[in-house]
Amino acid sequence: IKKVMANEQKCWQLIESAQWKSDHSYKRISNEWSKLSEDEFQELKKFIHNKASELGGRYENAWLGKDGGPGFDVSDDSWSDLRYDVVGRGEEFYNSITVEKLREMADNYDYQESFCYCVLK
């Protein structure tokens, strides 16, 4: 478990050092991350996809309006962009996300396409 926790912290540190919120250049970030070992890169890639997937599982009903709320006015593609953007903003932001924050981000177009491009090779 310690190794997993250490790896999770390292992944969050890499994400936060990428500064996605202030500079949405997935090419810049991808270039930085290409310097990682293949194992490290694959671990980071899996971590990012897993975190975005966790958000999808946790908030899909809210996005679709199946939780009694109005749903989020975003397409499938934008829903993906929104979730990856949350991951790209770092651990603290990710851990503080709520239905209300996600809805506000969607309503205000406060997300960028797409943090997941940073881990394409």
Side-chain angles (χ1 to χ4, degrees):
I1 272 186
K2 256 193 170 158
K3 185 174 195 268
V4 171
M5 288 305 294
N7 291 341
E8 182 168 325
Q9 280 310 114
K10 182 172 183 179
C11 288
W12 279 125
Q13 288 169 353
L14 286 166
I15 290 167
E16 289 166 13
S17 69
Q19 299 179 356
W20 172 255
K21 178 67 176 135
S22 60
D23 176 8
H24 303 104
S25 173
Y26 64 84
K27 289 180 181 176
R28 173 189 57 81
I29 296 167
S30 179
N31 187 48
E32 287 175 18
W33 288 350
S34 70
K35 297 170 188 162
L36 296 170
S37 73
E38 186 60 26
D39 286 348
E40 289 173 317
F41 180 83
Q42 292 302 324
E43 184 176 339
L44 178 62
K45 179 178 180 176
K46 182 178 178 183
F47 179 82
I48 290 170
H49 291 317
N50 285 345
K51 290 298 180 186
S53 181
E54 286 174 20
L55 289 174
R58 194 175 316 144
Y59 296 109
E60 181 176 27
N61 285 338
W63 165 51
L64 297 172
K66 293 181 177 179
D67 67 344
F72 304 168
D73 189 21
V74 294
S75 66
D76 290 1
D77 190 48
S78 292
W79 173 234
S80 174
D81 293 340
L82 177 61
R83 291 180 292 125
Y84 278 98
D85 192 89
V86 169
V87 176
R89 293 185 190 198
E91 183 177 20
E92 187 176 328
F93 190 84
Y94 178 90
N95 288 332
S96 72
I97 202 68
T98 62
V99 170
E100 294 75 22
K101 282 184 183 179
L102 281 170
R103 184 174 286 115
E104 185 178 320
M105 289 173 71
D107 290 348
N108 296 322
Y109 303 103
D110 181 22
Y111 60 95
Q112 298 291 319
E113 179 189 344
S114 175
F115 185 68
C116 71
Y117 299 165
C118 298
V119 289
L120 295 178
K121 265 194 175 180

PDB file of all heavy atoms in Angstrom, residues 54-78:
ATOM      1  N   GLU A  54     -13.351   7.705 -12.446  1.00  0.00           N
ATOM      2  CA  GLU A  54     -13.996   7.766 -11.130  1.00  0.00           C
ATOM      3  C   GLU A  54     -14.998   8.913 -11.074  1.00  0.00           C
ATOM      4  O   GLU A  54     -16.101   8.757 -10.537  1.00  0.00           O
ATOM      5  CB  GLU A  54     -12.957   7.942 -10.032  1.00  0.00           C
ATOM      6  CG  GLU A  54     -12.155   6.695  -9.720  1.00  0.00           C
ATOM      7  CD  GLU A  54     -11.019   6.947  -8.725  1.00  0.00           C
ATOM      8  OE1 GLU A  54     -11.063   7.963  -7.991  1.00  0.00           O
ATOM      9  OE2 GLU A  54     -10.076   6.133  -8.694  1.00  0.00           O
ATOM     10  N   LEU A  55     -14.612  10.061 -11.612  1.00  0.00           N
ATOM     11  CA  LEU A  55     -15.548  11.194 -11.650  1.00  0.00           C
ATOM     12  C   LEU A  55     -16.777  10.845 -12.475  1.00  0.00           C
ATOM     13  O   LEU A  55     -17.898  11.201 -12.112  1.00  0.00           O
ATOM     14  CB  LEU A  55     -14.873  12.440 -12.237  1.00  0.00           C
ATOM     15  CG  LEU A  55     -13.817  13.118 -11.380  1.00  0.00           C
ATOM     16  CD1 LEU A  55     -13.152  14.241 -12.163  1.00  0.00           C
ATOM     17  CD2 LEU A  55     -14.421  13.659 -10.089  1.00  0.00           C
ATOM     18  N   GLY A  56     -16.550  10.178 -13.592  1.00  0.00           N
ATOM     19  CA  GLY A  56     -17.672   9.773 -14.439  1.00  0.00           C
ATOM     20  C   GLY A  56     -18.639   8.876 -13.700  1.00  0.00           C
ATOM     21  O   GLY A  56     -19.851   9.073 -13.749  1.00  0.00           O
ATOM     22  N   GLY A  57     -18.105   7.892 -12.995  1.00  0.00           N
ATOM     23  CA  GLY A  57     -18.956   6.985 -12.239  1.00  0.00           C
ATOM     24  C   GLY A  57     -19.713   7.689 -11.126  1.00  0.00           C
ATOM     25  O   GLY A  57     -20.886   7.438 -10.893  1.00  0.00           O
ATOM     26  N   ARG A  58     -19.032   8.612 -10.465  1.00  0.00           N
ATOM     27  CA  ARG A  58     -19.616   9.297  -9.319  1.00  0.00           C
ATOM     28  C   ARG A  58     -20.675  10.318  -9.734  1.00  0.00           C
ATOM     29  O   ARG A  58     -21.653  10.530  -9.017  1.00  0.00           O
ATOM     30  CB  ARG A  58     -18.504   9.995  -8.540  1.00  0.00           C
ATOM     31  CG  ARG A  58     -18.921  10.452  -7.148  1.00  0.00           C
ATOM     32  CD  ARG A  58     -17.762  11.029  -6.346  1.00  0.00           C
ATOM     33  NE  ARG A  58     -16.550  10.236  -6.454  1.00  0.00           N
ATOM     34  CZ  ARG A  58     -15.310  10.732  -6.484  1.00  0.00           C
ATOM     35  NH1 ARG A  58     -15.110  12.027  -6.385  1.00  0.00           N
ATOM     36  NH2 ARG A  58     -14.263   9.939  -6.577  1.00  0.00           N
ATOM     37  N   TYR A  59     -20.484  10.955 -10.887  1.00  0.00           N
ATOM     38  CA  TYR A  59     -21.342  12.100 -11.247  1.00  0.00           C
ATOM     39  C   TYR A  59     -22.139  11.920 -12.541  1.00  0.00           C
ATOM     40  O   TYR A  59     -22.805  12.848 -12.982  1.00  0.00           O
ATOM     41  CB  TYR A  59     -20.499  13.382 -11.337  1.00  0.00           C
ATOM     42  CG  TYR A  59     -19.893  13.749 -10.012  1.00  0.00           C
ATOM     43  CD1 TYR A  59     -18.532  13.630  -9.788  1.00  0.00           C
ATOM     44  CD2 TYR A  59     -20.693  14.202  -8.958  1.00  0.00           C
ATOM     45  CE1 TYR A  59     -17.971  13.952  -8.558  1.00  0.00           C
ATOM     46  CE2 TYR A  59     -20.150  14.527  -7.732  1.00  0.00           C
ATOM     47  CZ  TYR A  59     -18.790  14.404  -7.542  1.00  0.00           C
ATOM     48  OH  TYR A  59     -18.252  14.722  -6.320  1.00  0.00           O
ATOM     49  N   GLU A  60     -22.110  10.730 -13.127  1.00  0.00           N
ATOM     50  CA  GLU A  60     -22.831  10.513 -14.385  1.00  0.00           C
ATOM     51  C   GLU A  60     -24.326  10.795 -14.254  1.00  0.00           C
ATOM     52  O   GLU A  60     -24.929  11.434 -15.122  1.00  0.00           O
ATOM     53  CB  GLU A  60     -22.618   9.092 -14.906  1.00  0.00           C
ATOM     54  CG  GLU A  60     -23.327   8.856 -16.228  1.00  0.00           C
ATOM     55  CD  GLU A  60     -23.052   7.487 -16.816  1.00  0.00           C
ATOM     56  OE1 GLU A  60     -22.753   6.539 -16.054  1.00  0.00           O
ATOM     57  OE2 GLU A  60     -23.140   7.375 -18.037  1.00  0.00           O
ATOM     58  N   ASN A  61     -24.941  10.333 -13.180  1.00  0.00           N
ATOM     59  CA  ASN A  61     -26.380  10.566 -13.017  1.00  0.00           C
ATOM     60  C   ASN A  61     -26.703  12.049 -12.924  1.00  0.00           C
ATOM     61  O   ASN A  61     -27.720  12.509 -13.453  1.00  0.00           O
ATOM     62  CB  ASN A  61     -26.923   9.815 -11.800  1.00  0.00           C
ATOM     63  CG  ASN A  61     -27.054   8.329 -12.052  1.00  0.00           C
ATOM     64  OD1 ASN A  61     -27.142   7.886 -13.195  1.00  0.00           O
ATOM     65  ND2 ASN A  61     -27.048   7.550 -10.995  1.00  0.00           N
ATOM     66  N   ALA A  62     -25.839  12.811 -12.272  1.00  0.00           N
ATOM     67  CA  ALA A  62     -26.043  14.265 -12.190  1.00  0.00           C
ATOM     68  C   ALA A  62     -25.893  14.895 -13.576  1.00  0.00           C
ATOM     69  O   ALA A  62     -26.691  15.744 -13.978  1.00  0.00           O
ATOM     70  CB  ALA A  62     -25.047  14.881 -11.216  1.00  0.00           C
ATOM     71  N   TRP A  63     -24.863  14.473 -14.316  1.00  0.00           N
ATOM     72  CA  TRP A  63     -24.649  14.984 -15.679  1.00  0.00           C
ATOM     73  C   TRP A  63     -25.877  14.736 -16.549  1.00  0.00           C
ATOM     74  O   TRP A  63     -26.330  15.611 -17.278  1.00  0.00           O
ATOM     75  CB  TRP A  63     -23.406  14.315 -16.277  1.00  0.00           C
ATOM     76  CG  TRP A  63     -23.263  14.463 -17.766  1.00  0.00           C
ATOM     77  CD1 TRP A  63     -23.331  15.628 -18.493  1.00  0.00           C
ATOM     78  CD2 TRP A  63     -23.046  13.433 -18.715  1.00  0.00           C
ATOM     79  NE1 TRP A  63     -23.143  15.367 -19.830  1.00  0.00           N
ATOM     80  CE2 TRP A  63     -22.964  14.010 -19.991  1.00  0.00           C
ATOM     81  CE3 TRP A  63     -22.891  12.055 -18.600  1.00  0.00           C
ATOM     82  CZ2 TRP A  63     -22.751  13.274 -21.149  1.00  0.00           C
ATOM     83  CZ3 TRP A  63     -22.662  11.320 -19.747  1.00  0.00           C
ATOM     84  CH2 TRP A  63     -22.597  11.931 -21.003  1.00  0.00           C
ATOM     85  N   LEU A  64     -26.450  13.543 -16.433  1.00  0.00           N
ATOM     86  CA  LEU A  64     -27.592  13.157 -17.262  1.00  0.00           C
ATOM     87  C   LEU A  64     -28.932  13.649 -16.702  1.00  0.00           C
ATOM     88  O   LEU A  64     -29.962  13.468 -17.342  1.00  0.00           O
ATOM     89  CB  LEU A  64     -27.626  11.632 -17.425  1.00  0.00           C
ATOM     90  CG  LEU A  64     -26.420  11.033 -18.150  1.00  0.00           C
ATOM     91  CD1 LEU A  64     -26.462   9.515 -18.075  1.00  0.00           C
ATOM     92  CD2 LEU A  64     -26.355  11.522 -19.595  1.00  0.00           C
ATOM     93  N   GLY A  65     -28.912  14.241 -15.519  1.00  0.00           N
ATOM     94  CA  GLY A  65     -30.146  14.704 -14.910  1.00  0.00           C
ATOM     95  C   GLY A  65     -30.960  13.598 -14.276  1.00  0.00           C
ATOM     96  O   GLY A  65     -32.159  13.743 -14.045  1.00  0.00           O
ATOM     97  N   LYS A  66     -30.324  12.477 -13.978  1.00  0.00           N
ATOM     98  CA  LYS A  66     -31.016  11.333 -13.382  1.00  0.00           C
ATOM     99  C   LYS A  66     -30.989  11.365 -11.862  1.00  0.00           C
ATOM    100  O   LYS A  66     -31.411  10.415 -11.217  1.00  0.00           O
ATOM    101  CB  LYS A  66     -30.394  10.022 -13.872  1.00  0.00           C
ATOM    102  CG  LYS A  66     -30.597   9.760 -15.343  1.00  0.00           C
ATOM    103  CD  LYS A  66     -29.980   8.443 -15.742  1.00  0.00           C
ATOM    104  CE  LYS A  66     -30.232   8.142 -17.203  1.00  0.00           C
ATOM    105  NZ  LYS A  66     -29.610   6.875 -17.605  1.00  0.00           N
ATOM    106  N   ASP A  67     -30.469  12.452 -11.283  1.00  0.00           N
ATOM    107  CA  ASP A  67     -30.390  12.557  -9.823  1.00  0.00           C
ATOM    108  C   ASP A  67     -31.422  13.544  -9.294  1.00  0.00           C
ATOM    109  O   ASP A  67     -31.363  13.957  -8.148  1.00  0.00           O
ATOM    110  CB  ASP A  67     -28.991  12.987  -9.387  1.00  0.00           C
ATOM    111  CG  ASP A  67     -28.651  14.413  -9.818  1.00  0.00           C
ATOM    112  OD1 ASP A  67     -29.349  14.962 -10.696  1.00  0.00           O
ATOM    113  OD2 ASP A  67     -27.690  14.975  -9.268  1.00  0.00           O
ATOM    114  N   GLY A  68     -32.362  13.933 -10.146  1.00  0.00           N
ATOM    115  CA  GLY A  68     -33.375  14.899  -9.747  1.00  0.00           C
ATOM    116  C   GLY A  68     -33.003  16.321 -10.100  1.00  0.00           C
ATOM    117  O   GLY A  68     -33.830  17.224 -10.036  1.00  0.00           O
ATOM    118  N   GLY A  69     -31.749  16.537 -10.497  1.00  0.00           N
ATOM    119  CA  GLY A  69     -31.296  17.869 -10.894  1.00  0.00           C
ATOM    120  C   GLY A  69     -31.489  18.082 -12.392  1.00  0.00           C
ATOM    121  O   GLY A  69     -31.940  17.194 -13.108  1.00  0.00           O
ATOM    122  N   PRO A  70     -31.118  19.254 -12.872  1.00  0.00           N
ATOM    123  CA  PRO A  70     -31.337  19.583 -14.283  1.00  0.00           C
ATOM    124  C   PRO A  70     -30.336  18.959 -15.254  1.00  0.00           C
ATOM    125  O   PRO A  70     -30.502  19.083 -16.455  1.00  0.00           O
ATOM    126  CB  PRO A  70     -31.203  21.110 -14.302  1.00  0.00           C
ATOM    127  CG  PRO A  70     -30.300  21.425 -13.163  1.00  0.00           C
ATOM    128  CD  PRO A  70     -30.599  20.382 -12.120  1.00  0.00           C
ATOM    129  N   GLY A  71     -29.326  18.291 -14.768  1.00  0.00           N
ATOM    130  CA  GLY A  71     -28.308  17.768 -15.673  1.00  0.00           C
ATOM    131  C   GLY A  71     -27.344  18.875 -16.076  1.00  0.00           C
ATOM    132  O   GLY A  71     -27.544  20.041 -15.747  1.00  0.00           O
ATOM    133  N   PHE A  72     -26.295  18.487 -16.770  1.00  0.00           N
ATOM    134  CA  PHE A  72     -25.292  19.452 -17.230  1.00  0.00           C
ATOM    135  C   PHE A  72     -25.478  19.618 -18.729  1.00  0.00           C
ATOM    136  O   PHE A  72     -25.624  18.639 -19.449  1.00  0.00           O
ATOM    137  CB  PHE A  72     -23.868  18.962 -16.975  1.00  0.00           C
ATOM    138  CG  PHE A  72     -23.553  18.605 -15.547  1.00  0.00           C
ATOM    139  CD1 PHE A  72     -22.398  17.919 -15.249  1.00  0.00           C
ATOM    140  CD2 PHE A  72     -24.388  18.943 -14.495  1.00  0.00           C
ATOM    141  CE1 PHE A  72     -22.069  17.573 -13.950  1.00  0.00           C
ATOM    142  CE2 PHE A  72     -24.078  18.615 -13.192  1.00  0.00           C
ATOM    143  CZ  PHE A  72     -22.915  17.920 -12.915  1.00  0.00           C
ATOM    144  N   ASP A  73     -25.425  20.836 -19.203  1.00  0.00           N
ATOM    145  CA  ASP A  73     -25.621  21.117 -20.612  1.00  0.00           C
ATOM    146  C   ASP A  73     -24.309  20.950 -21.377  1.00  0.00           C
ATOM    147  O   ASP A  73     -23.747  21.910 -21.894  1.00  0.00           O
ATOM    148  CB  ASP A  73     -26.176  22.539 -20.784  1.00  0.00           C
ATOM    149  CG  ASP A  73     -26.617  22.808 -22.214  1.00  0.00           C
ATOM    150  OD1 ASP A  73     -26.866  21.836 -22.959  1.00  0.00           O
ATOM    151  OD2 ASP A  73     -26.692  23.989 -22.587  1.00  0.00           O
ATOM    152  N   VAL A  74     -23.811  19.703 -21.400  1.00  0.00           N
ATOM    153  CA  VAL A  74     -22.600  19.382 -22.148  1.00  0.00           C
ATOM    154  C   VAL A  74     -22.790  18.054 -22.883  1.00  0.00           C
ATOM    155  O   VAL A  74     -23.484  17.160 -22.401  1.00  0.00           O
ATOM    156  CB  VAL A  74     -21.334  19.298 -21.246  1.00  0.00           C
ATOM    157  CG1 VAL A  74     -20.978  20.642 -20.650  1.00  0.00           C
ATOM    158  CG2 VAL A  74     -21.487  18.269 -20.149  1.00  0.00           C
ATOM    159  N   SER A  75     -22.161  17.948 -24.040  1.00  0.00           N
ATOM    160  CA  SER A  75     -22.205  16.725 -24.841  1.00  0.00           C
ATOM    161  C   SER A  75     -21.343  15.640 -24.197  1.00  0.00           C
ATOM    162  O   SER A  75     -20.618  15.900 -23.227  1.00  0.00           O
ATOM    163  CB  SER A  75     -21.663  17.024 -26.240  1.00  0.00           C
ATOM    164  OG  SER A  75     -20.275  17.345 -26.142  1.00  0.00           O
ATOM    165  N   ASP A  76     -21.386  14.453 -24.767  1.00  0.00           N
ATOM    166  CA  ASP A  76     -20.511  13.362 -24.297  1.00  0.00           C
ATOM    167  C   ASP A  76     -19.052  13.799 -24.326  1.00  0.00           C
ATOM    168  O   ASP A  76     -18.310  13.571 -23.376  1.00  0.00           O
ATOM    169  CB  ASP A  76     -20.649  12.121 -25.195  1.00  0.00           C
ATOM    170  CG  ASP A  76     -21.978  11.424 -25.057  1.00  0.00           C
ATOM    171  OD1 ASP A  76     -22.822  11.894 -24.278  1.00  0.00           O
ATOM    172  OD2 ASP A  76     -22.172  10.398 -25.734  1.00  0.00           O
ATOM    173  N   ASP A  77     -18.644  14.407 -25.422  1.00  0.00           N
ATOM    174  CA  ASP A  77     -17.254  14.825 -25.585  1.00  0.00           C
ATOM    175  C   ASP A  77     -16.883  15.894 -24.554  1.00  0.00           C
ATOM    176  O   ASP A  77     -15.823  15.836 -23.940  1.00  0.00           O
ATOM    177  CB  ASP A  77     -17.030  15.344 -27.007  1.00  0.00           C
ATOM    178  CG  ASP A  77     -15.569  15.567 -27.315  1.00  0.00           C
ATOM    179  OD1 ASP A  77     -14.751  14.667 -27.032  1.00  0.00           O
ATOM    180  OD2 ASP A  77     -15.238  16.641 -27.841  1.00  0.00           O
ATOM    181  N   SER A  78     -17.764  16.858 -24.359  1.00  0.00           N
ATOM    182  CA  SER A  78     -17.496  17.911 -23.380  1.00  0.00           C
ATOM    183  C   SER A  78     -17.522  17.372 -21.959  1.00  0.00           C
ATOM    184  O   SER A  78     -16.784  17.853 -21.096  1.00  0.00           O
ATOM    185  CB  SER A  78     -18.499  19.057 -23.531  1.00  0.00           C
ATOM    186  OG  SER A  78     -18.281  19.722 -24.752  1.00  0.00           O
TER     187      SER A  78
END
